[in-house]
């Protein structure tokens, strides 16, 4: 019969630990929360009170129910109080030495039947298990931030995990209202292995000056429909944790995509760790965003549009409706737009080669419409600041959020998205996780509107493959080269990777 785990210990009551304690207490279980000292314990109590208080304020929980939940949690600084726990979950900082010392201690204190679980984001569960006398009863139980909200739990088993234990922990996760996916012990498991590569890539684009923080965040939130842009999410996860996960991933994969971007190291060294310290990529409590530098927009009456098909025609209609005179040209012959005040080249590829063919190259910017709400505006090295400002304003008049970026292959959205989709295909191809688990992981772990393989099917395998080829040609980054499986599916005329994967 499956174990029920009535009494649960949680060691470490930071953001994650306190969230995990809340989840167990909400399920009716008795929780013993352990912290190193009284100060940390009080901080943990604060997390628990604030998180449940937020639910009370929103009318999702009565004050009585809040009292009951908090009443189920005993807070202590003594690990000896875990002697009766059926399960103990560790949520302390991501430092292997600390974890091994803690697990040796738990091994001594806890009853022999107790399961010892780690909420590590990326460290080796096998290495943690090996330091105890009960490696078969040590497992990974990985929650996502904020733990009370995100529906996913990754259950990580090792080569020495007792038969049936992963199933028991998965059943436990279900009893908490979560959806489990089970994975082997590889750095980053399923979700962080995909997520952190993408978040780190956003840092690399920022550092390369391809686009700014707010533009990249807006691009991914409004353009792709993710719940948060990458920098907002990095601040939520914590830059120290993010750095550490990248580091561990890089150590295992040796993939430059995982090598932590220098800006992460710099912020971590400066103690700017994100929300928890009040400042990371953003400052919290920031009253008003800094006023952007005032730029004089070019005075515009004629708008040139380079591109064919319905997108150019629709844009021309919108431009006309906004009170400007549109002139459309195909890229083969740019003569009609030669005298336009600004020229919008519809493209997701670099447009500087079009600019140099115009009599006024400084008047051209690339424009990539993303979904219904976003337009990426790519300025080339020749685009004048007046043109950039005019296109920015024009895009707003057209009721879209402008994302200002440099003239690089796939600009921002597709550069970040396609590389991430490629990583997901690589994971599928390696046999490490099933298509269903990959999609469920990203949907429920990160609140994405769809999993990567679902997104790939929706965008089209060929479009993504071609975009990746363009990215590779531009950056020569091996991780951008289309994974052989993707290439072969396109060649074979397969339209759905999910159907192919069964
Ligand atoms: N604690 C508890 N509850 C919280 C919370 C918190 N810190 N933040 C938000 N919530 C709750 C709110 O109370 C609200 O609940 P109800 O729907 O019951 O009212 C709900 O979440 C939505 O909150 P808001 O409306 O205030 O805000 P939102 O719509 O912007 O959603 C969010 C906030 C749920 C965090 C959403 O932005 C989101 O899903 N973001 C993505 C988060 C993510 O990717 N997490 C995974 C990170 S990776 C990780 O954690 C693993 C690792 O090892 C690094």
């Amino acid at each position: 019969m499956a174990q029920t785990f009535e009494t649960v210990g949680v060691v470490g009551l930071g953001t994650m630990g306190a969230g995990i304690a809340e989840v167990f207490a909400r399920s009716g279980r008795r929780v013993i929360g352990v912290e190193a000292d009284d100060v940390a314990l009080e901080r943990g109590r604060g997390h628990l009170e604030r998180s449940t208080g937020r639910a009370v304020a929103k009318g999702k929980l009565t004050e009585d129910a809040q009292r009951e939940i908090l009443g189920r949690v005993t807070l202590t600084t003594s690990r000896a109080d875990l002697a009766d726990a059926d399960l103990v979950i560790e949520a302390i900082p991501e430092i292997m030495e600390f974890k091994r010392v803690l697990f040796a201690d738990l091994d001594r204190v806890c009853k022999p039947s107790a399961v010892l679980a780690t909420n590590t984001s990326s460290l080796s569960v096998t290495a943690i298990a090996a330091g105890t006398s009960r490696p078969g009863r040590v497992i990974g139980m990985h929650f996502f931030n904020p733990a009370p909200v995100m529906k996913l739990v990754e259950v990580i088993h090792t080569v020495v995990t007792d038969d049936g234990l992963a199933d028991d922990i998965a059943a436990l996760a279900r009893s908490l209202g979560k959806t489990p996916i089970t994975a082997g012990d590889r750095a980053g498991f399923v979700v962080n292995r995909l997520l952190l590569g993408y978040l780190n890539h956003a840092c690399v684009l920022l550092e390369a000056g391809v686009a700014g923080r707010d533009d990249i965040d807006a691009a991914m939130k409004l353009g792709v429909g993710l719940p948060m842009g990458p920098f907002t999410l990095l601040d939520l996860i914590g830059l120290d944790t993010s750095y550490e996960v990248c580091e561990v991933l890089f150590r295992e994969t040796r993939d430059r995509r995982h090598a932590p971007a220098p800006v992460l190291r710099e912020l971590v060294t400066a103690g700017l760790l994100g929300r928890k310290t009040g400042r990371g990529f953003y400052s919290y409590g920031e009253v008003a965003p800094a006023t952007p530098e005032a730029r004089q927009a070019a005075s515009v009456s004629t708008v040139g549009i380079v591109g064919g098909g319905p997108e150019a025609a629709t844009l021309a209609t919108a431009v006309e409706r906004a009170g400007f005179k549109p002139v459309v040209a195909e890229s083969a012959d740019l003569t009609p737009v030669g005298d336009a005040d600004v020229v919008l080249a519809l493209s997701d590829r670099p447009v500087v080669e079009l600019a140099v063919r115009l009599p006024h190259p400084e008047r051209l910017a690339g424009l990539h419409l993303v979904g219904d709400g976003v337009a990426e505006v790519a300025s080339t090295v020749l685009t004048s600041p007046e043109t950039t400002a005019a296109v920015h304003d024009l895009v707003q008049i057209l009721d879209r959020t402008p994302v200002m970026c440099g003239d690089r292959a796939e600009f921002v959205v597709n550069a970040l998205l396609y590389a991430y989709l490629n990583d997901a295909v690589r994971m599928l191809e390696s046999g490490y996780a099933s298509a269903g688990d990959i999609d469920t992981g990203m949907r429920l772990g990160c609140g994405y509107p769809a999993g990567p393989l679902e997104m790939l099917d929706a965008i089209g395998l060929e479009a993504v493959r071609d975009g990746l080829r363009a990215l590779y040609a531009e950056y020569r980054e091996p991780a951008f080269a289309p994974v052989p499986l993707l290439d072969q599916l396109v060649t074979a005329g397969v339209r759905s990777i999910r159907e192919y994967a069964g």
Side-chain angles (χ1 to χ4, degrees):
M1 212 183 78
Q3 278 185 266
T4 50
F5 306 106
E6 290 311 325
T7 302
V8 177
V10 179
V11 183
L13 297 172
T15 320
M16 282 310 290
I20 294 168
E22 178 183 335
V23 169
F24 278 101
R26 277 177 179 262
S27 76
R29 291 176 171 84
R30 203 181 137 228
V31 178
I32 303 157
V34 184
E35 256 299 357
D37 55 42
D38 289 335
V39 176
L41 203 62
E42 277 319 299
R43 205 177 313 127
R45 191 191 307 278
H47 286 313
L48 279 163
E49 285 171 357
R50 259 193 313 283
S51 177
T52 49
R54 176 202 285 256
V56 172
K58 285 199 164 184
K60 306 259 170 176
L61 199 66
T62 63
E63 281 186 22
D64 282 349
Q66 181 193 24
R67 242 189 317 276
E68 254 180 60
I69 291 168
L70 295 177
R72 284 191 203 110
V73 184
T74 309
L75 296 176
T76 172
T77 53
S78 167
R79 288 179 189 167
D81 291 341
L82 295 169
D84 288 337
D86 304 308
L87 166 73
V88 178
I89 301 181
E90 162 275 314
I92 66 170
E94 292 287 82
I95 299 167
M96 181 55 99
E97 204 34 49
F98 290 3
K99 306 233 185 212
R100 286 178 67 102
V101 169
L102 171 65
F103 274 76
D105 226 19
L106 294 176
D107 194 23
R108 209 160 2 90
V109 166
C110 297
K111 59 189 180 190
S113 62
V115 172
L116 307 182
T118 171
N119 178 57
T120 181
S121 302
S122 58
L123 294 178
S124 162
V125 180
T126 312
I128 294 172
T132 71
S133 67
R134 60 178 99 187
R137 315 255 337 127
V138 177
I139 198 156
M141 191 171 190
H142 185 219
F143 289 80
F144 291 80
N145 190 2
V149 183
M150 308 315 285
K151 291 288 172 217
L152 187 75
V153 170
E154 286 177 318
V155 177
I156 316 303
H157 56 83
T158 73
V159 285
V160 289
T161 306
D162 284 352
D163 285 348
L165 182 57
D167 290 341
D168 286 355
I169 296 294
L172 170 67
R174 275 186 217 100
S175 79
L176 301 170
K178 306 287 186 192
T179 300
I181 61 175
T182 304
D185 190 20
R186 301 279 182 285
F189 315 132
V190 173
V191 173
N192 281 345
R193 206 170 171 105
L194 295 176
L195 180 67
L196 268 298
Y198 145 69
L199 296 178
N200 196 42
H201 187 186
C203 297
V204 170
L205 289 187
L206 179 76
E207 283 201 297
V210 174
R213 174 198 72 178
D214 295 354
D215 285 301
I216 296 175
D217 265 2
M220 299 314 283
K221 186 172 153 101
L222 305 176
V224 185
L226 307 186
M228 291 176 159
F231 300 109
T232 314
L233 182 54
L234 281 161
D235 275 357
L236 175 77
I237 294 171
L239 304 190
D240 49 345
T241 304
S242 304
Y243 181 89
E244 221 21 73
V245 177
C246 284
E247 188 67 53
V248 171
L249 280 169
F250 181 72
R251 241 179 275 141
E252 183 169 306
T253 64
R254 296 289 158 187
D255 181 344
R256 276 206 339 237
R257 199 162 154 67
H258 297 137
V263 66
L264 278 178
R265 181 197 43 73
E266 191 179 351
L267 288 166
V268 171
T269 308
L272 308 178
L273 307 183
R275 275 191 200 200
K276 60 187 169 189
T277 57
R279 191 167 154 206
F281 284 102
Y282 292 88
S283 289
Y284 296 87
E286 206 173 332
V287 186
T291 324
E293 225 178 279
R295 279 172 305 196
Q296 188 67 45
S299 111
V300 174
S301 75
T302 309
V303 176
I305 296 168
V306 180
E311 198 174 42
T314 311
L315 181 62
T317 309
V319 163
E320 188 159 29
R321 225 181 272 135
F324 302 96
K325 182 171 173 247
V327 197
V328 180
E330 299 268 355
S331 57
D333 178 11
L334 300 179
T335 319
V337 298
D339 287 328
D341 300 315
V342 295
V343 179
L344 308 174
L346 281 168
S347 177
D348 56 3
R349 305 281 150 82
V351 291
V352 69
E353 44 273 70
L354 294 172
V356 292
R357 288 168 42 208
L358 286 174
H360 301 288
E362 73 283 2
R363 296 186 188 171
L364 181 136
L367 191 76
H368 178 223
L369 306 178
V370 187
D372 293 331
V374 166
E376 291 174 308
V377 177
S379 299
T380 75
V381 284
L382 300 172
T383 309
S384 68
E386 292 77 19
T387 298
T388 303
V391 178
H392 174 275
D393 295 352
L394 183 62
V395 164
Q396 284 185 324
I397 294 170
L398 299 178
D399 233 5
R400 284 176 178 263
T401 302
V403 167
M404 311 309 288
C405 60
D407 189 34
R408 295 287 179 276
E410 304 300 323
F411 301 155
V412 174
V413 172
N414 288 352
L416 289 173
L417 187 62
Y418 290 2
Y420 151 74
L421 300 183
N422 206 32
D423 288 345
V425 179
R426 189 175 295 114
M427 183 178 279
L428 180 71
E429 185 179 50
S430 74
Y432 175 58
S434 70
D437 281 353
I438 291 172
D439 280 344
T440 303
M442 296 312 291
R443 254 193 287 104
L444 302 185
C446 304
Y448 283 12
L453 302 172
E454 291 164 331
M455 285 189 189
L456 184 52
D457 279 357
I459 298 168
L461 272 51
E462 189 166 2
V464 174
R465 192 271 314 258
D466 291 349
L468 285 163
R469 283 182 173 171
L471 273 173
Y472 179 71
E474 174 105 326
Y475 293 98
R476 307 297 164 104
E477 169 59 61
F480 296 162
V483 169
L485 174 63
L486 179 58
D487 225 359
Q488 283 162 18
L489 290 175
V490 175
T491 308
V494 173
R495 304 185 79 85
S496 164
I497 192 163
R498 284 159 67 240
E499 267 172 36
Y500 160 79

